[in-house]
């Protein structure tokens, strides 16, 4: 009896019978023929480093070496060397140089098909599992040939074959020269692309960011990312993975990062007036302004949005606090900071770390000070945008007229502690 996943695969690919040249056969016969064809496809086209990524037709049709370049499989050995390379990450291998796009695509999907036990078919082949042995025995599948095609020994890579159509590096080794033909690991290439696509912002998030709208939970952007296209408008001619990704992969900036020292202004009179810059909080004020224009600004949904905005503002302020605390211990004892209130010295100077634990009175003063500064800064922002709201309404909406939810209040204390 066929595994349910294999049975579903055969139903989904109902054109498989026709592609194999069969007519009105049972599922068992169909799968037996498909297994034989799978072995042929793996031996001829399964690879880790497709040669066609260098050039879509790297070898002349008349070349005697044409068939030797169609199946380069290298899994590599895992080592803790810190490199992203073959062997150090598990990615899908590929099919390339095929003469039938449809069958090669089906073979790729079948090898990665999750069977009833949750493991892919190719994993069963690798482990030579009992399930794989039963399939080979029942459907006359040549398991040895399939395993050898999927997981060849490293000695199979010793053939010295290249082509004038491939990218090559010619460099001296001792008194001789070595010719290196560079190939691309398509599994790593598109594995990286798919992971980037999962974490970067969506189109909607990108539009909201450009329009300076508040995005709950934040967003993730990779700067200086560009695209490279393989195969032009014939991406299917390069490989199955290339075709699945539309021929598009990413190139990331590999230049050394430009590091800048943190710049924070040490407060001489008052932390909120001297260190916090109102314009750096405009994103929060803009989001709150939208809340004030709601028909019912005092419902639960609006309160939760308000709390999320205020929490993010608190965490932004806490970053400034940590930067000041990273300054040399005792900086506030200088004459330049004589006018700074004692409670703010306790709050911000590393020299008073133990006092902050035994005398936490500064915490209420810090929370009240930030709330008042936030309200005044928001009012100044509204003066610029020409929106007018009453003081009572402002205090009510941003939380000074009523308490935040317990989670926000707790985060407020922890961020400023």
């Amino acid at each position: 009896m066929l595994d349910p996943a294999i049975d579903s695969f055969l139903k989904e690919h109902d054109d498989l019978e026709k592609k194999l040249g069969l007519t009105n056969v049972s599922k068992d016969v169909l799968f037996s023929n498909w297994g034989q064809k799978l072995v042929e496809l793996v031996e001829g086209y399964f690879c880790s480093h497709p040669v066609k990524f260098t050039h879509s037709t790297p070898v002349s049709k008349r070349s005697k070496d044409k068939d030797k370049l169609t199946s380069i499989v290298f899994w590599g050995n895992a080592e803790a060397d810190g490199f992203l390379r073959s062997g150090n990450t598990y990615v899908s291998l590929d099919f390339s140089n095929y003469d039938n796009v449809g069958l090669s695509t089906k073979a790729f999907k079948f090898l990665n098909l999750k069977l009833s036990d949750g493991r892919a078919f190719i994993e069963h082949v690798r482990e030579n599992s009992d399930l794989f042995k039963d399939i080979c025995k029942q459907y006359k599948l040549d398991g040895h040939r399939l395993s050898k095609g999927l997981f060849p020994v490293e000695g199979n890579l010793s053939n010295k074959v290249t082509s004038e159509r491939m990218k090559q590096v010619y460099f001296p080794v001792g008194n001789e020269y070595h010719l290196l033909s560079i190939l691309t690991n398509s599994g790593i290439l598109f594995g990286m692309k798919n992971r980037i696509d999962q974490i970067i912002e969506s189109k909607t998030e990108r539009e909201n960011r450009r329009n300076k709208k508040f995005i709950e939970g934040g967003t993730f952007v990779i700067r200086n990312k560009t695209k490279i296209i393989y195969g032009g408008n014939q991406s299917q001619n390069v490989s199955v993975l290339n075709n699945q990704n539309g021929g598009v992969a990413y190139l990331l900036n590999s230049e050394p990062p430009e590091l800048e020292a943190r710049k924070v202004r040490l407060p001489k009179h008052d932390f909120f007036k001297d260190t916090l810059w109102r314009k750096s909080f405009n994103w929060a004020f803009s989001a709150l302004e939208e809340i004030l224009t709601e028909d019912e600004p005092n419902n639960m949904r609006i309160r939760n949005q308000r709390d999320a905005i205020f929490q993010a503002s608190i965490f932004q302020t806490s970053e400034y606090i940590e930067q000041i605390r990273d300054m040399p211990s005792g900086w506030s004892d200088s004459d330049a900071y004589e006018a700074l209130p004692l409670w703010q010295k306790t709050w911000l100077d590393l020299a008073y770390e133990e006092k902050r634990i035994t005398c936490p009175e500064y915490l209420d003063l810090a929370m009240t000070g930030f709330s008042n500064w936030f309200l005044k800064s928001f009012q100044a922002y509204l003066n610029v945008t020409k929106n007018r709201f009453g003081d009572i309404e402002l205090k009510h909406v941003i939380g000074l007229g009523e308490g935040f939810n317990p989670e926000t209040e707790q985060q407020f204390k922890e961020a400023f502690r």
Side-chain angles (χ1 to χ4, degrees), residues 123-377:
E123 294 178 24
H124 283 277
V125 180
R126 179 199 287 268
E127 298 173 9
N128 195 26
S129 68
D130 292 338
L131 176 58
F132 176 63
K133 292 178 181 178
D134 291 341
I135 291 176
C136 292
K137 182 178 180 180
Q138 185 174 353
Y139 299 100
K140 299 180 180 179
L141 177 63
D142 194 334
H144 177 71
R145 283 179 59 192
L146 181 60
S147 179
K148 186 178 179 181
L150 292 174
F151 307 102
V153 295
E154 292 188 8
N156 292 352
L157 298 174
S158 61
N159 294 334
K160 297 180 180 180
V161 181
T162 187
S163 166
E164 72 280 357
R165 302 292 295 278
M166 295 174 62
K167 293 286 190 290
Q168 298 174 333
V169 179
Y170 198 52
F171 59 92
V173 178
N175 295 326
E176 300 179 351
Y177 281 89
H178 181 74
L179 181 63
L180 175 65
S181 298
I182 301 175
L183 300 177
T184 301
N185 187 315
S186 57
I188 292 180
L189 184 73
F190 291 114
M192 180 185 72
K193 175 183 179 293
N194 293 333
R195 293 186 185 188
I196 290 175
D197 286 339
Q198 291 173 8
I199 62 175
I200 61 175
E201 62 184 4
S202 64
K203 182 179 180 181
T204 302
E205 291 175 336
R206 183 164 58 251
E207 291 175 352
N208 288 340
R209 178 170 56 82
R210 289 174 177 172
N211 294 328
K212 298 181 179 180
K213 293 185 177 180
F214 176 71
I215 304 174
E216 188 170 355
T219 183
F220 188 84
V221 179
I222 297 179
R223 304 292 183 185
N224 300 322
K225 171 175 64 68
T226 189
K227 296 178 180 178
I228 183 172
I229 298 178
Y230 294 99
N233 59 359
Q234 300 292 327
S235 59
Q236 72 277 8
N237 290 343
V238 177
S239 78
V240 169
L241 277 177
N242 190 67
N243 189 35
Q244 289 182 348
N245 289 273
V248 177
Y250 293 143
L251 294 178
L252 303 181
N253 186 11
S254 60
E255 296 178 354
E258 297 181 3
L259 303 178
E260 294 184 2
R262 290 180 177 177
K263 296 180 180 179
V264 60
R265 183 180 180 184
L266 295 178
K268 294 184 177 181
H269 301 86
D270 181 75
F271 167 77
F272 306 104
K273 294 180 180 179
D274 297 343
T275 303
L276 298 186
W277 186 43
R278 177 171 58 81
K279 288 187 177 181
S280 65
F281 289 82
N282 276 358
W283 63 269
F285 302 144
S286 175
L288 285 173
E289 185 180 21
E290 289 189 21
I291 290 178
L292 285 170
T293 59
E294 294 280 351
D295 294 334
E296 297 181 4
N298 196 30
N299 60 34
M300 183 61 67
R301 178 179 63 85
I302 295 301
R303 290 184 186 180
N304 289 336
Q305 290 182 1
R306 174 206 65 185
D307 285 0
I309 296 168
F310 200 71
Q311 287 175 18
S313 302
I314 292 169
F315 292 139
Q316 179 175 331
T317 305
S318 69
E319 292 181 2
Y320 296 122
I321 297 172
E322 291 303 320
Q323 290 182 43
I324 294 177
R325 289 177 177 176
D326 285 341
M327 298 297 292
S329 178
W331 62 266
S332 64
D333 294 334
S334 171
D335 292 342
Y337 307 102
E338 185 178 1
L340 188 66
L342 179 60
W343 72 266
Q344 290 197 20
K345 292 182 179 181
T346 303
W347 180 33
L348 301 171
D349 195 336
L350 185 63
Y352 297 91
E353 185 174 14
E354 292 185 3
K355 187 177 180 180
R356 286 200 296 269
I357 298 175
T358 58
C359 302
E361 293 84 2
Y362 73 92
L363 192 55
D364 289 335
L365 294 172
M367 294 170 63
T368 301
F370 178 76
S371 298
N372 291 331
W373 174 87
F374 193 84
L375 176 60
K376 292 179 181 179
S377 299

